[in-house]
Amino acid sequence: MEIFKNMMYILMTSAIVENVVLAKFLGICPFLGVSKKLDSAAGMSGAVIFVMLMATAVTWPIYKFILLPNGLDYLQTIVFILVIAALVQLVEFILKKYMKSLYQALGVYLPLITTNCAVLGVTILNFDNNYGFGESLINALGTGLGFMVAMILFAGVRGRMESCDFPESFKGVPSTLIAASIVSMSFMGFADVANGMFM
Amino acid sequence: MGKEKISLSTLTNGIIKENPVLVLILGTCPTLAVTTLAVNGVGMGLAATFVLVCSNIVISLLKNVIPDKVRIPCYIVIIAGFVTILSSLMEAFLPSLYASLGLFLQLIVVNCIILGRAEMFASKHGVLASALDGIGMGLGFTLALLIMGSIREILGAGTWFGIPLTVNLFSPISIFILAPGGFLVYGMVIAAVNKLTKGKAIKKKDFGCEGCAGGCNGCSGCEKGENK
Protein backbone atom coordinates (compact mmCIF):
# COMPACT_ATOMS: atom_id res chain seq x y z
CA MET A 1 0.00 0.00 0.00
CA GLU A 2 2.83 2.32 0.90
CA ILE A 3 4.45 1.71 -2.47
CA PHE A 4 1.21 2.31 -4.29
CA LYS A 5 0.75 5.55 -2.39
CA ASN A 6 4.24 6.69 -3.28
CA MET A 7 3.68 5.85 -6.95
CA MET A 8 0.42 7.75 -7.05
CA TYR A 9 2.10 10.68 -5.35
CA ILE A 10 4.86 10.79 -7.96
CA LEU A 11 2.33 10.44 -10.76
CA MET A 12 0.14 13.26 -9.48
CA THR A 13 3.08 15.52 -8.75
CA SER A 14 4.75 15.09 -12.11
CA ALA A 15 1.54 15.24 -14.13
CA ILE A 16 -0.36 18.08 -12.51
CA VAL A 17 1.29 19.88 -9.64
CA GLU A 18 4.72 20.34 -11.18
CA ASN A 19 3.55 20.27 -14.75
CA VAL A 20 6.50 19.78 -17.03
CA VAL A 21 5.62 22.62 -19.38
CA LEU A 22 3.82 25.11 -17.21
CA ALA A 23 5.85 24.85 -14.01
CA LYS A 24 9.20 23.37 -14.96
CA PHE A 25 9.58 25.09 -18.36
CA LEU A 26 10.65 21.99 -20.24
CA GLY A 27 9.50 21.34 -23.79
CA ILE A 28 8.36 24.90 -24.44
CA CYS A 29 9.24 24.74 -28.15
CA PRO A 30 6.80 21.96 -29.05
CA PHE A 31 4.29 23.34 -26.56
CA LEU A 32 4.17 26.62 -28.45
CA GLY A 33 4.94 25.22 -31.88
CA VAL A 34 2.65 22.25 -32.29
CA SER A 35 -0.31 23.34 -30.19
CA LYS A 36 -2.17 25.09 -32.98
CA LYS A 37 -4.45 22.19 -33.75
CA LEU A 38 -5.96 19.70 -31.37
CA ASP A 39 -5.10 16.57 -33.36
CA SER A 40 -1.46 17.49 -33.86
CA ALA A 41 -1.21 18.40 -30.17
CA ALA A 42 -2.56 14.97 -29.25
CA GLY A 43 -0.27 13.20 -31.72
CA MET A 44 2.80 15.02 -30.46
CA SER A 45 2.00 14.29 -26.83
CA GLY A 46 1.39 10.63 -27.61
CA ALA A 47 4.80 10.40 -29.21
CA VAL A 48 6.38 12.23 -26.27
CA ILE A 49 4.85 9.87 -23.68
CA PHE A 50 6.02 6.89 -25.71
CA VAL A 51 9.59 8.12 -26.13
CA MET A 52 9.85 9.33 -22.53
CA LEU A 53 8.91 5.89 -21.20
CA MET A 54 11.28 4.13 -23.59
CA ALA A 55 14.12 6.56 -22.88
CA THR A 56 13.71 6.12 -19.13
CA ALA A 57 13.59 2.35 -19.44
CA VAL A 58 16.85 2.41 -21.41
CA THR A 59 18.83 5.17 -19.70
CA TRP A 60 18.15 4.05 -16.12
CA PRO A 61 19.98 0.69 -16.41
CA ILE A 62 22.75 2.28 -18.51
CA TYR A 63 23.46 4.89 -15.88
CA LYS A 64 23.09 2.62 -12.86
CA PHE A 65 24.95 -0.42 -14.18
CA ILE A 66 27.46 0.94 -16.69
CA LEU A 67 28.26 4.59 -16.02
CA LEU A 68 28.15 4.75 -12.21
CA PRO A 69 30.21 1.64 -11.36
CA ASN A 70 32.93 2.76 -13.77
CA GLY A 71 33.04 6.34 -12.52
CA LEU A 72 31.82 7.67 -15.85
CA ASP A 73 28.83 9.58 -14.52
CA TYR A 74 30.15 12.83 -15.96
CA LEU A 75 29.38 11.40 -19.40
CA GLN A 76 25.69 11.37 -18.51
CA THR A 77 24.66 14.17 -20.87
CA ILE A 78 26.48 12.81 -23.92
CA VAL A 79 25.34 9.24 -23.40
CA PHE A 80 21.73 10.17 -22.71
CA ILE A 81 21.33 12.43 -25.73
CA LEU A 82 22.86 9.77 -27.98
CA VAL A 83 20.61 7.09 -26.49
CA ILE A 84 17.56 9.27 -27.02
CA ALA A 85 18.55 10.11 -30.60
CA ALA A 86 19.21 6.46 -31.42
CA LEU A 87 16.04 5.37 -29.68
CA VAL A 88 13.92 7.82 -31.61
CA GLN A 89 15.37 6.50 -34.88
CA LEU A 90 14.82 2.91 -33.80
CA VAL A 91 11.26 3.52 -32.67
CA GLU A 92 10.47 5.28 -35.92
CA PHE A 93 11.92 2.39 -37.87
CA ILE A 94 10.04 -0.29 -35.94
CA LEU A 95 6.75 1.56 -36.06
CA LYS A 96 7.11 2.11 -39.78
CA LYS A 97 7.74 -1.55 -40.36
CA TYR A 98 5.34 -3.27 -37.98
CA MET A 99 2.74 -0.83 -36.74
CA LYS A 100 1.60 1.19 -39.71
CA SER A 101 -1.39 2.81 -38.03
CA LEU A 102 0.56 3.96 -34.99
CA TYR A 103 3.31 5.24 -37.27
CA GLN A 104 0.82 7.29 -39.22
CA ALA A 105 -0.44 8.80 -35.99
CA LEU A 106 2.89 9.52 -34.31
CA GLY A 107 5.49 9.18 -37.06
CA VAL A 108 5.79 12.79 -38.14
CA TYR A 109 6.39 13.96 -34.58
CA LEU A 110 9.08 11.47 -33.70
CA PRO A 111 12.10 13.24 -35.24
CA LEU A 112 11.14 16.43 -33.44
CA ILE A 113 11.44 14.72 -30.09
CA THR A 114 15.21 14.33 -30.11
CA THR A 115 15.52 18.04 -29.52
CA ASN A 116 12.66 18.15 -27.03
CA CYS A 117 14.33 19.08 -23.78
CA ALA A 118 11.53 17.50 -21.75
CA VAL A 119 12.71 14.00 -22.69
CA LEU A 120 16.34 14.60 -21.78
CA GLY A 121 15.17 16.56 -18.75
CA VAL A 122 13.11 13.68 -17.39
CA THR A 123 15.87 11.14 -17.77
CA ILE A 124 18.30 13.42 -15.92
CA LEU A 125 15.78 14.42 -13.25
CA ASN A 126 15.13 10.77 -12.43
CA PHE A 127 18.66 10.56 -11.12
CA ASP A 128 18.66 13.99 -9.49
CA ASN A 129 15.67 12.80 -7.46
CA ASN A 130 17.20 9.39 -6.72
CA TYR A 131 14.25 7.50 -8.12
CA GLY A 132 14.37 3.72 -8.42
CA PHE A 133 13.51 2.02 -11.71
CA GLY A 134 9.77 1.75 -11.01
CA GLU A 135 9.56 5.28 -9.69
CA SER A 136 11.44 6.57 -12.73
CA LEU A 137 8.99 4.91 -15.09
CA ILE A 138 6.05 6.36 -13.17
CA ASN A 139 7.70 9.77 -13.21
CA ALA A 140 8.22 9.52 -16.97
CA LEU A 141 4.60 8.49 -17.48
CA GLY A 142 3.36 11.29 -15.25
CA THR A 143 5.53 13.88 -16.96
CA GLY A 144 4.33 12.70 -20.36
CA LEU A 145 0.72 12.87 -19.24
CA GLY A 146 1.35 16.34 -17.87
CA PHE A 147 2.75 17.37 -21.24
CA MET A 148 -0.38 15.99 -22.88
CA VAL A 149 -2.71 17.82 -20.51
CA ALA A 150 -0.89 21.09 -21.11
CA MET A 151 -0.77 20.63 -24.89
CA ILE A 152 -4.43 19.74 -25.25
CA LEU A 153 -5.64 22.48 -22.93
CA PHE A 154 -3.52 25.03 -24.72
CA ALA A 155 -4.63 23.84 -28.15
CA GLY A 156 -8.18 24.63 -27.04
CA VAL A 157 -7.14 28.06 -25.82
CA ARG A 158 -5.36 28.86 -29.05
CA GLY A 159 -8.34 27.75 -31.08
CA ARG A 160 -10.35 30.43 -29.32
CA MET A 161 -7.60 33.02 -29.73
CA GLU A 162 -7.61 32.79 -33.49
CA SER A 163 -10.66 34.94 -33.87
CA CYS A 164 -9.41 37.57 -31.42
CA ASP A 165 -8.21 40.97 -32.48
CA PHE A 166 -4.93 41.85 -30.80
CA PRO A 167 -2.94 45.08 -30.98
CA GLU A 168 -0.42 44.99 -33.83
CA SER A 169 2.68 44.38 -31.70
CA PHE A 170 0.99 41.63 -29.69
CA LYS A 171 -0.02 39.55 -32.71
CA GLY A 172 1.45 36.07 -32.93
CA VAL A 173 4.09 35.19 -30.40
CA PRO A 174 3.44 37.69 -27.57
CA SER A 175 -0.28 36.97 -27.32
CA THR A 176 0.43 33.23 -27.30
CA LEU A 177 2.89 33.66 -24.43
CA ILE A 178 0.47 35.75 -22.42
CA ALA A 179 -2.21 33.10 -22.88
CA ALA A 180 0.33 30.52 -21.71
CA SER A 181 0.94 32.66 -18.66
CA ILE A 182 -2.73 32.57 -17.74
CA VAL A 183 -2.96 28.80 -18.30
CA SER A 184 0.14 28.40 -16.15
CA MET A 185 -1.42 30.53 -13.44
CA SER A 186 -4.42 28.23 -13.34
CA PHE A 187 -2.10 25.28 -12.79
CA MET A 188 -0.67 27.00 -9.73
CA GLY A 189 -4.01 26.31 -8.11
CA PHE A 190 -3.01 22.64 -7.98
CA ALA A 191 -0.11 23.32 -5.62
CA ASP A 192 -0.36 21.13 -2.53
CA VAL A 193 -3.13 19.03 -4.05
CA ALA A 194 -0.90 15.97 -4.14
CA ASN A 195 0.31 16.57 -0.60
CA GLY A 196 -3.24 16.87 0.63
CA MET A 197 -4.30 13.69 -1.13
CA PHE A 198 -1.50 11.33 -0.21
CA MET A 199 0.37 12.65 2.77
CA MET B 1 35.87 30.00 -48.75
CA GLY B 2 39.13 31.81 -48.13
CA LYS B 3 37.94 35.15 -49.42
CA GLU B 4 34.85 35.23 -47.33
CA LYS B 5 33.74 38.64 -46.21
CA ILE B 6 33.91 39.02 -42.49
CA SER B 7 32.23 42.19 -41.43
CA LEU B 8 31.13 43.68 -38.20
CA SER B 9 27.56 42.77 -39.03
CA THR B 10 28.40 39.09 -38.49
CA LEU B 11 29.02 40.01 -34.90
CA THR B 12 26.23 42.50 -34.35
CA ASN B 13 23.55 40.55 -36.21
CA GLY B 14 22.95 38.26 -33.29
CA ILE B 15 22.81 41.00 -30.71
CA ILE B 16 19.97 43.08 -32.08
CA LYS B 17 18.68 42.37 -35.56
CA GLU B 18 18.52 38.62 -35.23
CA ASN B 19 18.44 38.34 -31.46
CA PRO B 20 17.93 34.61 -30.94
CA VAL B 21 15.52 34.95 -28.03
CA LEU B 22 13.55 38.07 -28.79
CA VAL B 23 13.38 37.97 -32.58
CA LEU B 24 14.03 34.40 -33.70
CA ILE B 25 12.23 32.89 -30.65
CA LEU B 26 14.82 30.18 -30.05
CA GLY B 27 15.95 28.72 -26.75
CA THR B 28 12.73 29.52 -24.96
CA CYS B 29 13.07 26.92 -22.21
CA PRO B 30 16.17 28.33 -20.46
CA THR B 31 14.93 31.86 -21.12
CA LEU B 32 11.84 31.21 -19.07
CA ALA B 33 13.32 28.90 -16.48
CA VAL B 34 16.50 30.55 -15.24
CA THR B 35 15.55 34.22 -15.39
CA THR B 36 14.09 34.41 -11.91
CA LEU B 37 17.24 36.30 -10.89
CA ALA B 38 19.27 38.57 -13.14
CA VAL B 39 22.52 36.93 -12.09
CA ASN B 40 21.24 33.49 -13.13
CA GLY B 41 20.22 34.88 -16.49
CA VAL B 42 23.69 36.30 -17.10
CA GLY B 43 25.34 33.07 -15.92
CA MET B 44 23.20 30.98 -18.23
CA GLY B 45 23.82 33.37 -21.11
CA LEU B 46 27.58 33.26 -20.70
CA ALA B 47 27.55 29.47 -20.30
CA ALA B 48 25.60 29.10 -23.53
CA THR B 49 27.91 31.62 -25.22
CA PHE B 50 30.92 29.51 -24.29
CA VAL B 51 29.36 26.36 -25.72
CA LEU B 52 28.12 28.21 -28.79
CA VAL B 53 31.49 29.73 -29.66
CA CYS B 54 33.41 26.49 -29.09
CA SER B 55 30.97 24.32 -31.00
CA ASN B 56 30.76 26.84 -33.86
CA ILE B 57 34.56 26.84 -34.18
CA VAL B 58 34.88 23.06 -34.08
CA ILE B 59 31.99 22.47 -36.45
CA SER B 60 33.26 24.96 -38.99
CA LEU B 61 36.69 23.32 -38.81
CA LEU B 62 35.16 19.90 -39.35
CA LYS B 63 32.54 20.89 -41.90
CA ASN B 64 34.33 19.16 -44.76
CA VAL B 65 34.95 16.00 -42.75
CA ILE B 66 31.49 15.38 -41.36
CA PRO B 67 29.33 13.37 -43.78
CA ASP B 68 26.18 15.19 -44.68
CA LYS B 69 23.82 12.39 -43.69
CA VAL B 70 24.96 12.02 -40.10
CA ARG B 71 25.74 15.66 -39.50
CA ILE B 72 23.09 16.25 -36.84
CA PRO B 73 24.27 13.43 -34.53
CA CYS B 74 27.84 14.68 -35.04
CA TYR B 75 26.86 18.22 -34.08
CA ILE B 76 25.02 16.94 -31.02
CA VAL B 77 28.03 14.95 -29.85
CA ILE B 78 30.32 17.98 -30.28
CA ILE B 79 27.90 20.21 -28.41
CA ALA B 80 27.35 17.63 -25.67
CA GLY B 81 31.11 17.33 -25.24
CA PHE B 82 31.47 21.06 -24.62
CA VAL B 83 28.48 21.06 -22.29
CA THR B 84 30.11 18.31 -20.25
CA ILE B 85 33.37 20.28 -20.04
CA LEU B 86 31.46 23.38 -19.04
CA SER B 87 29.38 21.70 -16.36
CA SER B 88 32.46 20.06 -14.82
CA LEU B 89 34.28 23.41 -14.78
CA MET B 90 31.33 25.21 -13.32
CA GLU B 91 30.77 22.58 -10.65
CA ALA B 92 34.37 23.03 -9.57
CA PHE B 93 34.72 26.81 -9.71
CA LEU B 94 31.22 28.30 -9.50
CA PRO B 95 29.29 25.82 -7.34
CA SER B 96 26.53 28.27 -6.37
CA LEU B 97 25.72 29.17 -9.98
CA TYR B 98 25.96 25.47 -10.87
CA ALA B 99 23.36 24.68 -8.23
CA SER B 100 20.98 27.43 -9.27
CA LEU B 101 21.13 26.64 -13.00
CA GLY B 102 20.80 22.95 -12.19
CA LEU B 103 19.22 20.86 -14.88
CA PHE B 104 19.24 23.64 -17.44
CA LEU B 105 23.00 23.62 -17.65
CA GLN B 106 22.91 20.09 -19.03
CA LEU B 107 19.97 21.00 -21.22
CA ILE B 108 22.15 23.45 -23.17
CA VAL B 109 22.71 20.37 -25.34
CA VAL B 110 19.23 20.57 -26.76
CA ASN B 111 19.14 24.36 -26.91
CA CYS B 112 17.87 25.18 -30.40
CA ILE B 113 20.12 28.24 -30.66
CA ILE B 114 23.30 26.21 -30.64
CA LEU B 115 22.17 23.45 -32.97
CA GLY B 116 20.50 26.06 -35.13
CA ARG B 117 23.65 28.15 -35.53
CA ALA B 118 25.68 25.01 -36.20
CA GLU B 119 23.33 24.03 -38.98
CA MET B 120 22.64 27.45 -40.43
CA PHE B 121 25.95 29.22 -40.02
CA ALA B 122 28.96 27.24 -38.84
CA SER B 123 28.50 24.45 -41.38
CA LYS B 124 28.65 26.97 -44.21
CA HIS B 125 31.19 29.58 -43.10
CA GLY B 126 34.82 29.86 -42.14
CA VAL B 127 36.26 29.56 -38.67
CA LEU B 128 36.61 33.25 -37.87
CA ALA B 129 33.16 34.17 -39.12
CA SER B 130 31.66 31.27 -37.17
CA ALA B 131 33.42 32.32 -33.99
CA LEU B 132 32.19 35.90 -34.43
CA ASP B 133 28.69 34.67 -35.12
CA GLY B 134 28.87 32.54 -31.98
CA ILE B 135 29.98 35.50 -29.89
CA GLY B 136 27.28 37.75 -31.35
CA MET B 137 24.49 35.23 -30.90
CA GLY B 138 25.73 34.36 -27.43
CA LEU B 139 25.81 38.01 -26.39
CA GLY B 140 22.35 38.49 -27.83
CA PHE B 141 21.14 35.55 -25.77
CA THR B 142 22.86 36.91 -22.66
CA LEU B 143 21.40 40.37 -23.23
CA ALA B 144 17.89 38.98 -23.59
CA LEU B 145 18.28 36.89 -20.45
CA LEU B 146 19.63 39.91 -18.60
CA ILE B 147 16.60 41.99 -19.59
CA MET B 148 14.17 39.23 -18.64
CA GLY B 149 16.01 38.47 -15.41
CA SER B 150 16.20 42.13 -14.40
CA ILE B 151 12.49 42.75 -14.96
CA ARG B 152 11.49 39.61 -13.10
CA GLU B 153 13.90 40.12 -10.21
CA ILE B 154 13.06 43.79 -9.68
CA LEU B 155 9.30 43.25 -9.83
CA GLY B 156 9.21 39.84 -8.18
CA ALA B 157 11.84 40.08 -5.49
CA GLY B 158 12.53 43.80 -5.24
CA THR B 159 16.25 43.35 -5.83
CA TRP B 160 18.62 43.63 -8.74
CA PHE B 161 21.70 41.40 -8.70
CA GLY B 162 20.93 40.97 -5.01
CA ILE B 163 20.86 44.71 -4.27
CA PRO B 164 17.58 45.78 -2.67
CA LEU B 165 15.94 48.40 -4.86
CA THR B 166 12.28 48.75 -4.14
CA VAL B 167 12.16 48.38 -0.36
CA ASN B 168 10.25 51.58 0.24
CA LEU B 169 8.41 51.74 -3.07
CA PHE B 170 6.23 48.65 -3.25
CA SER B 171 6.19 45.17 -1.87
CA PRO B 172 7.50 42.56 -4.32
CA ILE B 173 4.94 40.96 -6.64
CA SER B 174 6.07 37.39 -6.21
CA ILE B 175 4.09 36.07 -9.19
CA PHE B 176 6.84 37.46 -11.42
CA ILE B 177 9.41 35.00 -10.18
CA LEU B 178 6.94 32.13 -10.47
CA ALA B 179 6.09 30.31 -13.68
CA PRO B 180 3.24 32.52 -14.96
CA GLY B 181 5.36 35.64 -14.58
CA GLY B 182 7.97 34.10 -16.85
CA PHE B 183 5.54 33.66 -19.71
CA LEU B 184 4.02 37.07 -19.11
CA VAL B 185 7.31 39.00 -19.04
CA TYR B 186 8.58 37.14 -22.10
CA GLY B 187 5.42 37.98 -24.02
CA MET B 188 5.59 41.63 -22.98
CA VAL B 189 9.28 41.96 -23.89
CA ILE B 190 8.68 40.49 -27.35
CA ALA B 191 5.74 42.80 -27.85
CA ALA B 192 7.93 45.73 -26.86
CA VAL B 193 10.62 44.64 -29.31
CA ASN B 194 7.98 44.34 -32.05
CA LYS B 195 6.76 47.82 -31.26
CA LEU B 196 10.24 49.35 -31.21
CA THR B 197 11.52 47.70 -34.37
CA LYS B 198 8.22 48.08 -36.25
CA GLY B 199 9.08 45.17 -38.46
CA LYS B 200 12.58 46.35 -39.20
CA ALA B 201 13.88 43.24 -37.52
CA ILE B 202 13.13 40.01 -39.31
CA LYS B 203 9.47 39.44 -38.62
CA LYS B 204 8.65 36.07 -37.22
CA LYS B 205 5.00 35.49 -37.76
CA ASP B 206 4.56 32.60 -35.43
CA PHE B 207 6.15 29.67 -33.71
CA GLY B 208 6.73 26.40 -35.33
CA CYS B 209 9.13 25.59 -38.04
CA GLU B 210 9.94 29.10 -39.09
CA GLY B 211 10.48 29.90 -35.46
CA CYS B 212 13.06 27.29 -34.75
CA ALA B 213 14.48 27.21 -38.24
CA GLY B 214 17.79 25.49 -37.76
CA GLY B 215 16.93 23.45 -34.72
CA CYS B 216 13.96 21.85 -36.31
CA ASN B 217 15.09 21.69 -39.88
CA GLY B 218 18.18 20.24 -38.37
CA CYS B 219 16.30 17.26 -37.13
CA SER B 220 14.43 17.21 -40.43
CA GLY B 221 11.14 16.50 -38.76
CA CYS B 222 9.76 19.91 -39.32
CA GLU B 223 8.90 19.88 -42.95
CA LYS B 224 7.02 16.67 -42.41
CA GLY B 225 5.60 17.57 -39.05
CA GLU B 226 4.30 21.02 -39.63
CA ASN B 227 3.35 21.29 -43.24
CA LYS B 228 -0.10 19.97 -42.84
Side-chain angles (χ1 to χ4, degrees):
Chain A
M1 201 57 209
E2 203 51 46
I3 298 173
F4 178 72
K5 217 169 154 185
N6 186 27
M7 295 288 181
M8 284 306 289
Y9 178 68
I10 294 177
L11 190 68
M12 275 297 284
T13 310
S14 55
I16 306 283
V17 181
E18 294 201 356
N19 188 286
V20 59
V21 179
L22 299 167
K24 283 196 217 141
F25 294 128
L26 293 171
I28 304 279
C29 295
F31 173 66
L32 298 171
V34 199
S35 62
K36 257 182 245 161
K37 287 195 201 95
L38 194 60
D39 53 342
S40 54
M44 181 72 186
S45 353
V48 165
I49 295 179
F50 192 62
V51 174
M52 259 181 197
L53 277 172
M54 296 281 290
T56 306
V58 176
T59 51
W60 200 90
I62 289 183
Y63 187 73
K64 265 288 188 294
F65 300 122
I66 301 177
L67 293 183
L68 262 189
N70 295 314
L72 294 173
D73 47 332
Y74 62 91
L75 288 179
Q76 193 191 36
T77 318
I78 301 188
V79 172
F80 280 17
I81 188 77
L82 282 180
V83 166
I84 291 169
L87 196 72
V88 169
Q89 287 290 311
L90 192 72
V91 167
E92 195 185 356
F93 187 70
I94 291 174
L95 287 185
K96 202 175 189 173
K97 188 108 196 215
Y98 298 107
M99 290 183 235
K100 272 270 156 50
S101 58
L102 195 58
Y103 178 75
Q104 271 152 12
L106 305 183
V108 290
Y109 305 105
L110 281 172
L112 284 170
I113 290 177
T114 315
T115 49
N116 183 341
C117 51
V119 178
L120 183 63
V122 165
T123 55
I124 294 175
L125 274 178
N126 282 335
F127 296 105
D128 288 354
N129 292 339
N130 280 320
Y131 285 152
F133 188 63
E135 290 170 318
S136 296
L137 283 180
I138 295 287
N139 185 36
L141 179 67
T143 309
L145 287 176
F147 186 75
M148 183 178 239
V149 170
M151 286 286 274
I152 289 177
L153 274 180
F154 199 55
V157 172
R158 282 184 84 169
R160 284 292 182 94
M161 277 169 58
E162 265 177 16
S163 52
C164 294
D165 187 24
F166 290 105
E168 191 58 42
S169 29
F170 276 90
K171 270 183 188 149
V173 182
S175 57
T176 315
L177 281 165
I178 288 164
S181 161
I182 295 166
V183 174
S184 156
M185 211 180 292
S186 69
F187 266 70
M188 282 180 70
F190 288 114
D192 286 336
V193 164
N195 285 334
M197 275 169 84
F198 300 108
M199 287 292 140
Chain B
M1 272 292 167
K3 280 183 195 161
E4 191 177 33
K5 254 209 294 193
I6 297 167
S7 59
L8 197 64
S9 70
T10 317
L11 183 68
T12 54
N13 239 354
I15 302 178
I16 302 155
K17 214 175 89 197
E18 290 184 25
N19 188 299
V21 179
L22 301 176
V23 181
L24 302 179
I25 323 291
L26 294 172
T28 43
C29 299
T31 307
L32 291 166
V34 303
T35 50
T36 49
L37 296 173
V39 64
N40 287 355
V42 174
M44 180 72 201
L46 294 178
T49 308
F50 169 80
V51 176
L52 186 55
V53 173
C54 294
S55 65
N56 258 8
I57 291 175
V58 171
I59 286 165
S60 77
L61 281 173
L62 294 177
K63 62 178 181 288
N64 297 328
V65 186
I66 296 174
D68 201 40
K69 273 191 178 161
V70 291
R71 65 185 194 285
I72 301 299
C74 294
Y75 297 164
I76 291 180
V77 173
I78 293 169
I79 295 166
F82 283 114
V83 170
T84 307
I85 296 172
L86 176 80
S87 59
S88 300
L89 284 175
M90 204 179 257
E91 195 175 5
F93 295 109
L94 296 167
S96 63
L97 188 60
Y98 179 79
S100 55
L101 294 183
L103 177 66
F104 284 90
L105 197 60
Q106 282 153 308
L107 290 181
I108 293 179
V109 178
V110 281
N111 189 324
C112 322
I113 299 174
I114 298 177
L115 197 60
R117 292 325 284 177
E119 170 80 5
M120 282 159 63
F121 199 93
S123 61
K124 298 186 188 84
H125 293 81
V127 179
L128 189 61
S130 301
L132 283 179
D133 178 70
I135 294 171
M137 281 285 162
L139 289 181
F141 184 55
T142 314
L143 182 73
L145 291 190
L146 173 68
I147 294 171
M148 289 269 300
S150 303
I151 295 175
R152 288 181 70 186
E153 191 181 346
I154 292 172
L155 290 177
T159 58
W160 191 53
F161 284 100
I163 309 160
L165 279 185
T166 60
V167 183
N168 301 319
L169 292 174
F170 58 88
S171 53
I173 313 158
S174 58
I175 191 100
F176 278 101
I177 53 173
L178 297 172
F183 285 111
L184 187 69
V185 172
Y186 192 21
M188 293 293 185
V189 172
I190 295 176
V193 169
N194 280 353
K195 183 84 186 165
L196 290 175
T197 54
K198 282 190 184 130
K200 262 182 265 162
I202 299 173
K203 255 263 157 91
K204 283 289 159 193
K205 286 191 200 77
D206 217 329
F207 294 105
C209 283
E210 318 90 72
C212 58
C216 277
N217 288 340
C219 64
S220 78
C222 237
E223 312 98 73
K224 289 185 272 168
E226 272 284 306
N227 272 356
K228 34 193 229 165

